[in-house]
Structure formats: C-alpha cells, structure tokens
Amino acid sequence: YVAQLTGKQLISYVSDDHLTFKQFSLSPIYWVNRLILRNNVKHTAKYYSLLYTMTQEQLNEYQPVLQVPMKLLKKTGDFTSKPNFKDFNEKPIVLFYGGNLIYNRYKTLAKLAEVIQKLNEETMHFQLLIASQTPITENINKLLNDGKNSILLGKLNSVQMQEYYQLADIVLHVESFDLKQRLLTRLSFSTKIIDLLHTGRCVMAICWRESSPYKYLKSEHAAICVDDFCTLEEELKNLIKNPKIMHHYANQAWNCGERNHNKEKVIADFRKDIELLIS
C-alpha cells in the first residue's frame, strides 16, 4: 500500500523464517498458516528495492524465491577499544550462560551440567553459572541447580550481566538439538552472539552444525564449536590440559567482532546503500 501510494523505493529487513518449508509440525493448521505467510512474503517482496537479512544462509535460500536485491545487514557492537583479557590460570573454569531457556535450550545446558559433574568427581575443574529471565520449573531447577557444578543465578540486570561476563572464563551460546527446535532456529542470529564476542572471553557454541550461528562462528574461528554431545567431554578435557586455548579463542572472538560487527562501519555501509538507491 505504501509503495503504491507514494511511489517511493522500499528497503525491508527479514529475520524470522516465514518463507521456507524446512520446519517440523504435525498440525495441518500450522502448514496452512505457513503457506499464507509464504505467499504474503512473496507478494510484498516484489515492492522492495532492497531486502536485508541477518544471515548468509537466509539470503541464499530467499533470493532465488523472492528474486529481489538482497544484502546482509550485520548486528553491531562497540569494538573500538579492547577489553582486559583474563588470565586463565584459576580453577574452577567458569562457564557462563546468560539468556532464555525456551526452545529446549535448557536440555543442552543440562547435558553440559552432566558432563561437568562427571569431570568434577575428584577435582573441581568447572562450574556452570546460568542467568535467565525464563520462569524456572521444578524440573529445570533439578537439572541445572545442584549448587556446586551448576548454579542458577535467576534474573540479572544489564550491569550484573556484564559483571558475570567478566567473571567468566567461557561464555556460552547454546541451542536445542531437538528436531523441531533445530529447524525453528536454524536461520536465527541472536543479538547475544555479538554480546559474547564483545566480552573478551572465550566463546563456546553448543548447537546444530547446520545452524547459521554455528556455521558463522566456525568459519570465523571465533568460538569453540560443539555440534555433538559425544565430543563435549573431550572438548572440556582439552581445556583442562591446555588453558591457553581459551586465551586464543577470546582473541579470535574479539577480532571477529571488530572485523565484522563494528557499529560505525556497518552504519556507514547502510547509509551508502540508501544513498545509492536515492541517486
């Protein structure tokens, strides 16, 4: 309506996946709704002079269907001055997760807590700290809060979150490995990932290898990437033997953020795109 009324060029942005059929549901209503969403996306896309997306995978899947000019618009952070990198010599090694537990992310954290408990049988090598706004059920509390190996901190404000990021040795990005949740979040790219790159800490991503965050962090060498619970214990054992790995990935994470998510550069490129369309 706006395009037809004004005759102006439109720039749009897509994040959630409302186009592809790579989803899982046994509900016929879900698929009817999916078809309606897909048709709406295709119908409106023809009015766009430029369509931004958050991940390369989404761009690759959308462009052949929508056939409009598309570009990546990366999420940004302030990477102008390096943080103080931590000396990774103290025990236990603290892993910190700050985020919600929906989409069955709590199951992934529960598996991590289980592995940590096993490795801590004789010596306290690791401790998992979890901050979340998600209401804690009795089951989640039982899985994630034994008071020693894994501790639920509850809700933290932004200042407290930064304090725990600085306390941590490893900051976590986790996703569910359940089929439905894997497909639901595979093209998503959380703002939290930029926060993790900005902490000056080693980033560990525990998620499906076909998800956009995994592919991105892996290709940028910006995180310890774990795509199988079977390898999780071995990855943690490697950190016990060689803590310098954490310092390496802390630097890699910051460099990735500085290289790809610098606010000034992203905004400058965005402005150029607009000026090019205007001209």
Side-chain angles (χ1 to χ4, degrees), residues 57-276:
E57 290 74 25
Q58 196 168 30
L59 189 153
N60 293 343
E61 293 184 30
Y62 275 46
Q63 196 160 42
V65 178
L66 302 181
Q67 297 181 343
V68 296
M70 292 183 67
K71 290 186 70 174
L72 285 180
L73 184 61
K74 293 188 174 78
K75 299 194 176 191
T76 66
D78 181 6
F79 290 91
T80 52
S81 59
K82 278 194 173 185
N84 294 320
F85 291 98
K86 191 174 181 180
D87 193 5
F88 301 104
N89 293 322
E90 299 178 3
K91 292 288 181 71
I93 296 169
V94 176
L95 299 92
F96 177 64
Y97 174 76
N100 64 59
L101 304 176
I102 60 174
Y103 301 130
N104 290 343
R105 291 187 178 105
Y106 77 91
K107 291 184 178 180
T108 303
L109 289 168
K111 187 63 180 179
L112 175 60
E114 181 183 317
V115 173
I116 287 175
Q117 185 176 22
K118 180 181 177 181
L119 294 174
N120 284 352
E121 285 180 356
E122 296 182 4
T123 304
M124 190 74 175
H125 292 294
F126 297 98
Q127 187 174 59
L128 173 61
L129 303 180
I130 300 166
S132 180
Q133 302 280 340
T134 305
I136 303 301
T137 64
E138 185 177 339
N139 180 50
I140 290 177
N141 189 65
K142 182 179 178 181
L143 291 170
L144 298 179
N145 194 26
D146 70 1
K148 178 186 175 184
N149 304 290
S150 176
I151 300 174
L152 284 171
L153 302 171
K155 300 177 183 179
L156 300 181
N157 60 37
S158 58
V159 174
Q160 291 170 321
M161 283 288 289
Q162 293 305 315
E163 289 173 353
Y164 274 98
Y165 278 140
Q166 294 308 301
L167 171 69
D169 300 292
I170 297 173
V171 291
L172 294 166
H173 169 72
V174 304
E175 295 290 351
S176 172
F177 283 80
D178 295 347
L179 176 61
K180 182 177 180 179
Q181 313 305 334
R182 287 202 322 248
L183 295 175
L184 186 65
T185 60
R186 71 185 181 89
L187 297 179
S188 299
F189 196 92
S190 171
T191 307
K192 288 283 184 185
I193 293 175
I194 309 305
D195 294 341
L196 300 185
L197 298 177
H198 188 265
T199 60
R201 298 294 179 263
C202 171
V203 178
M204 178 179 284
I206 309 174
C207 51
W208 186 34
R209 69 184 299 115
E210 294 302 318
S211 71
S212 290
Y214 182 95
K215 289 182 176 180
Y216 179 73
L217 293 170
K218 187 77 172 177
S219 66
E220 294 287 333
H221 306 287
I224 300 172
C225 296
V226 181
D227 67 334
D228 192 327
F229 290 139
C230 295
T231 64
L232 187 53
E233 182 176 341
E234 192 59 36
E235 290 287 355
L236 294 181
K237 284 181 178 178
N238 285 339
L239 296 179
I240 297 172
K241 296 174 185 175
N242 187 7
K244 290 183 179 180
I245 293 173
M246 290 183 285
H247 193 273
H248 168 76
Y249 279 105
N251 274 286
Q252 289 289 96
W254 175 266
N255 292 340
C256 173
E258 188 179 41
R259 186 168 59 247
N260 299 319
H261 302 282
N262 183 280
K263 183 185 294 186
E264 285 72 23
K265 183 179 185 305
V266 173
I267 290 175
D269 290 342
F270 178 56
R271 182 183 292 274
K272 285 179 184 177
D273 290 340
I274 295 174
E275 289 174 346
L276 184 62

